[in-house]
Amino acid sequence: SSIVLNENINFTTLREFITEVEEPKLFTRIYCDRKYGIAYISSSEMSQVDPPVNSRFISKTLTKNIKQYIIKRGQILVSAAGTVGSVVLATKELNGVAGTSDILRINVDPETNLGFVFTYLTSSFGANELANLAYGAIIKRVRGFQLAELKTPIIDNKSRLKMNKLILAALESRDEA
């Protein structure tokens, strides 16, 4: 089932609206006690209303390049394997938590495009485009470079900035809640 938008809309790629897509390398998780570790979540957990950020910890010292797994508030997180295409805006609660390598992290300028990119990826059209990127017979996957090439509509600045304001306000509210 394809979704038809107004035929006067022009498209470009997601790359035009974002800073980068971070795609962490696959890694062996070495679980440990809270005092030696950093909270760790899977891609299905990132979408939960109350992510279990205090249940599992991976070793700070034994995880190579641990920095690449750390989630930062305001990143757009996209599950890239299995259930491809869950999209979450990282709240304060996920800030500093390590996430699986199956989570792609999109960095977007919060002053301009964060709201638009998040709104687009979670819209029925954007979600559909995202689902179409997934490849693989058994386990579906999306790579960072594919995500950067995602077909994305070009919309007027006024609408883009309005979306941005609304999403940033929502992020603030979620943090407070």
Side-chain angles (χ1 to χ4, degrees):
S1 63
S2 67
I3 299 161
V4 180
L5 295 180
N6 176 337
E7 55 264 6
N8 300 329
I9 294 179
N10 290 311
F11 289 88
T12 182
T13 59
L14 190 64
R15 180 175 277 117
E16 299 299 312
F17 300 100
I18 67 175
T19 317
E20 67 173 329
V21 177
E22 290 180 27
E23 183 174 12
K25 292 181 171 47
L26 290 170
F27 72 113
T28 306
R29 294 176 294 286
I30 300 162
Y31 296 110
C32 65
D33 203 82
R34 175 191 294 255
K35 65 177 177 238
Y36 306 111
I38 191 160
Y40 173 80
I41 59 165
S42 70
S43 58
S44 57
E45 290 165 340
M46 76 175 195
S47 306
Q48 293 174 11
V49 175
D50 198 10
V53 291
N54 288 308
S55 52
R56 292 196 310 282
F57 301 87
I58 57 170
S59 173
K60 282 181 193 170
T61 47
L62 302 175
T63 307
K64 281 194 181 75
N65 304 325
I66 196 164
K67 264 202 181 87
Q68 67 179 317
Y69 306 105
I70 307 297
I71 293 166
K72 297 181 235 8
R73 178 188 183 270
Q75 283 181 319
I76 297 173
L77 310 176
V78 179
S79 61
T83 312
V84 171
S86 292
V87 179
V88 172
L89 187 54
T91 57
K92 196 169 68 186
E93 189 180 19
L94 292 179
N95 192 53
V97 170
T100 168
S101 54
D102 289 341
I103 300 172
L104 296 175
R105 293 111 164 118
I106 306 177
N107 296 326
V108 189
D109 176 8
E111 299 300 309
T112 54
N113 293 323
L114 182 66
F116 168 64
V117 172
F118 179 73
T119 303
Y120 175 60
L121 292 176
T122 54
S123 70
S124 54
F125 186 82
N128 195 39
E129 290 294 310
L130 197 51
N132 289 339
L133 288 181
Y135 69 92
I138 314 291
I139 296 176
K140 298 277 181 240
R141 257 209 119 66
V142 168
R143 300 289 311 276
F145 69 89
Q146 293 173 292
L147 188 53
E149 289 299 315
L150 188 75
K151 181 177 165 186
T152 306
I154 300 169
I155 64 165
D156 65 282
N157 278 346
K158 196 173 155 202
S159 301
R160 216 163 32 90
L161 293 171
K162 184 176 180 187
M163 280 180 199
N164 211 54
K165 234 169 108 172
L166 292 168
I167 294 296
L168 287 180
L171 181 59
E172 294 287 327
S173 300
R174 294 262 320 263
D175 281 349
E176 282 164 32

